[in-house]
Every structure is written in structure tokens, then in C-alpha cells.
Amino acid sequence: LTLLAVDLAERSGHIKRAIELLADLDAAIISDVVLSGLAKRYLKQIPRRRIQLLGRVGQLAAAHLVAVAAAARFPTDEGFAALAERSG
């Protein structure tokens, strides 16, 4: 449901709210044993989308921090490593 709320916020032009919702969702996933066990292809969508939205609103330093954290969390994903390197 949170991803639907993110979509609605984004489509309504409330990008910062969408970013907040994604940050909260990511934090909930990280802190929950069951949620953190979901398939990585789904888990990776949250930080990727946050990075994209942060870039759209010009919060490049925040996007970099999310990319660095995602690269550490998903070390085999070269995409996050590249994002972290490019945005730094």
C-alpha cells in the first residue's frame, strides 16, 4: 500500500512526500526480519526510486547517501556502486 501512496504523491506533484514515504518504507524493511527477507529485486526498488526522486528535486547529497547505503546493503549490485561513485 505504501508504494501506491508513493505513486499518488508523485503524480500529485508531492515529490518530497513520496521521498519521505519511501524512506519510511525502507527503514521498516531494514528493521523487520520478515520484510528484509523479501526477494532482493523488490527490495532494491525502494532505494532506486528514492535516488531517482531525490535527484529530480535537486537533493544530490541525499541521493548520494542513499546510493552509498544501498551499495553497502547490496554489494553485488553494480548499479548501486556506480550510482554512489557518480553522485559522489
Side-chain angles (χ1 to χ4, degrees):
L1 287 176
T2 301
L3 291 177
L4 290 174
V6 169
D7 284 342
L8 179 62
E10 183 180 359
R11 290 172 194 237
S12 302
H14 301 287
I15 305 299
K16 290 184 180 182
R17 178 65 183 144
I19 293 167
E20 291 170 1
L21 289 167
L22 287 169
D24 291 346
L25 177 58
D26 209 19
I29 289 168
I30 290 169
S31 67
D32 187 277
V33 175
V34 175
L35 292 177
S36 63
L38 292 171
K40 288 182 183 174
R41 69 179 168 269
Y42 300 117
L43 298 178
K44 292 177 184 181
Q45 291 178 16
I46 285 77
R48 278 196 184 108
R49 192 143 176 214
R50 278 179 70 199
I51 293 164
Q52 176 193 28
L53 292 176
L54 287 164
R56 271 181 54 189
V57 296
Q59 294 185 16
L60 302 181
H64 173 71
L65 291 175
V66 173
V68 168
R73 197 163 135 206
F74 305 106
T76 59
D77 189 307
E78 294 176 9
F80 284 125
L83 281 170
E85 189 175 307
R86 274 197 314 256
S87 64

